[in-house]
Amino acid sequence: MTLQQHDYQLMLNESRRQRDTITDTVLPSPPTPLLVTGVTGVAGFGALTYFQARYPDQIYGAVQETDVDFPAKNLVFIDLRDYQRLEEICDKLQIQAILDCAGNCALKACQLDQRIAWELNVDIVYNLARYAHSRGIRLVHLSVDMVYAGRPGGNYREEEPPCPANVYGQTMVAGEEAVAQACPSATTLRISMPMGVSFNGHAGAIDWIAARFRPGRHATLYYNEVRTPTYVDEMARVFHEFLLNDYSGVLNCGGPRQVSLYQMAQIVNVAGGFQPELLYGLLIEESCPVPPRVRNCSLDSGKLTEVLGYAPFTPWPGLPQLVPTDRMWHLRREPNSQGATPYMNRTLGCSPSLYRSREEYLDQLF
């Protein structure tokens, strides 16, 4: 068993240890077989882990042919831009639902190669949507908070028109429109900073920041880029809910706490036990970022709560001692503070609301 396979097995086991929902109810099985796309990303990897832990023989992960080291089982090697091949494979597997987490979120790459950005963030989405509509199967598509450029206070609601700041945001808006056009019965969920571990150890906010700190490299993050991060294990349960229901349209899917990128780095720095002097911060106005950065694009997800009948997300991070109080907070830590990679992976990548006690939450760290 390779290291990645070992880590994946640990995540499967962890998912089985958790409660099915934060309300401790048991959800019915989703339509299966289920195809999950974008599984090399943090949200997709977390969703695939969740579903394969519960329905191991009925969940397929779509990956590129180059992703031969991806550790999960039941992989479908396919270029989702190839509609004919998509039809052939999904028909053969008798796919009954699609959870679409695919897309290219590399901001600079999207800005510099707009053709690829449109292919990966729009063409693929359109292919999945028209296939789902043609077969009458359930589609849940993930969009992102960066369809908005940001404003003082943030708190965007679904009825506010998108105003993307960069090519990535533009293509995500176009992806939403493609879903609405090709599969009107689908649900589009706008997520915001999925917080969980990645399969390759450097994707997503937690692992990217930790990968800077671990070898003693500096990390510089913005004070005024603000998001509403969400634990991926809580996200997976929301995806499950929408695979079961027939809601159509766009919903915000962000957490209840606004957190800046600089604060995220503070939290990773402390939880991971890294050297505090490695963290720097600045305002977006003090740099010339390429591509243009969003400001406060936090989401108001009150409508999501209304649709589900309960608040599905708890604040990230879940432990009060990991919530920054000011820009110097990470410098003031106890001499015997618990920070280390296993502690960071658990407290920042797994929601405490899914465990029955604090002791169980901080047991069997991985």
Side-chain angles (χ1 to χ4, degrees):
M1 181 181 291
T2 66
L3 179 60
Q4 286 184 346
Q5 289 171 333
H6 177 261
D7 291 344
Y8 178 67
Q9 188 60 52
L10 288 175
M11 288 189 64
L12 286 176
N13 294 340
E14 194 61 32
S15 187
R16 296 186 186 108
R17 274 212 311 147
Q18 294 176 332
R19 300 192 297 177
D20 275 0
T21 64
I22 62 174
T23 58
D24 206 18
T25 58
V26 178
L27 295 174
S29 300
T32 57
L34 166 67
L35 179 69
V36 183
T37 70
V39 297
T40 57
V42 174
F45 187 47
L48 184 70
T49 303
Y50 166 82
F51 285 110
Q52 287 196 339
R54 287 160 176 75
Y55 317 101
D57 299 325
Q58 293 296 310
I59 312 300
Y60 295 89
V63 294
Q64 294 284 340
E65 293 183 355
T66 54
D67 295 320
V68 293
D69 59 345
F70 193 80
K73 297 180 179 179
N74 293 348
L75 297 179
V76 175
F77 293 91
I78 181 175
D79 185 337
L80 294 171
R81 292 171 290 187
D82 185 343
Y83 184 72
Q84 182 176 349
R85 182 65 174 150
L86 173 68
E87 279 191 314
E88 292 172 354
I89 289 179
C90 290
D91 284 349
K92 181 178 179 180
L93 295 174
Q94 298 183 313
I95 295 298
Q96 297 301 305
I98 298 172
L99 173 59
D100 175 33
C101 309
N104 183 356
C105 61
L107 301 186
K108 189 172 183 179
C110 287
Q111 198 75 18
L112 298 179
D113 193 340
Q114 298 188 20
R115 178 184 62 84
I116 291 297
W118 282 82
E119 286 183 359
L120 298 182
N121 295 339
V122 184
D123 294 350
I124 282 176
V125 173
Y126 179 68
N127 281 346
L128 290 167
R130 64 179 173 143
Y131 175 80
H133 183 67
S134 71
R135 302 301 191 273
I137 66 177
R138 184 63 172 144
L139 172 65
V140 176
H141 164 67
L142 302 192
S143 184
V144 71
D145 54 0
M146 290 178 68
V147 299
Y148 296 110
R151 65 186 178 194
N155 276 328
Y156 286 97
R157 294 184 60 83
E158 291 88 348
E159 61 267 21
E160 300 183 68
C163 51
N166 48 47
V167 170
Y168 172 63
Q170 292 167 9
T171 58
M172 297 308 286
V173 172
E176 292 184 359
E177 294 170 347
V179 170
Q181 174 189 350
C183 189
S185 63
T187 299
T188 292
L189 299 174
R190 288 177 179 154
I191 67 171
S192 177
M193 296 298 283
M195 290 299 184
V197 298
S198 60
F199 89 98
N200 59 14
H202 57 75
I206 298 171
D207 284 341
W208 183 88
I209 295 169
R212 296 288 303 183
F213 290 147
R214 191 168 288 115
R217 299 166 65 190
H218 294 94
T220 304
L221 282 299
Y222 294 112
Y223 297 129
N224 55 339
E225 180 170 336
V226 179
R227 318 290 284 278
T228 36
T230 312
Y231 281 107
V232 291
D233 45 14
E234 292 182 356
M235 273 188 178
R237 287 147 175 85
V238 171
F239 304 158
H240 192 159
E241 294 265 21
F242 282 94
L243 287 168
L244 292 171
N245 67 31
D246 59 358
Y247 184 89
S248 61
V250 178
L251 282 173
N252 289 344
C253 196
R257 174 181 286 144
Q258 295 188 14
V259 184
S260 71
L261 296 193
Y262 178 78
Q263 289 172 323
M264 292 178 198
Q266 285 183 297
I267 293 163
V268 171
N269 187 272
V270 170
F274 300 113
Q275 294 299 311
E277 63 271 12
L278 296 176
L279 175 59
Y280 290 85
L282 79 165
L283 297 169
I284 294 172
E285 295 78 7
E286 296 172 337
S287 66
C288 298
V290 177
R293 304 292 306 196
V294 299
R295 267 61 172 181
N296 187 336
C297 61
S298 57
L299 300 175
D300 180 333
S301 299
K303 189 175 179 180
L304 178 73
T305 296
E306 293 176 9
V307 170
L308 292 178
Y310 68 97
F313 299 131
T314 55
W316 183 94
L319 298 183
Q321 63 267 32
L322 292 178
V323 179
T325 55
D326 57 69
R327 292 180 181 177
M328 307 302 289
W329 167 81
H330 62 291
L331 299 174
R332 303 186 301 271
R333 63 185 77 177
E334 298 296 327
N336 58 346
S337 60
Q338 193 173 357
T341 295
Y343 178 77
M344 176 185 71
N345 288 343
R346 173 59 50 77
T347 58
L348 306 188
C350 299
S351 167
S353 69
L354 296 173
Y355 297 79
R356 299 191 181 279
S357 67
R358 178 185 173 89
E359 290 73 25
E360 182 183 2
Y361 181 54
L362 296 177
D363 185 35
Q364 302 180 39
L365 299 179
F366 60 89

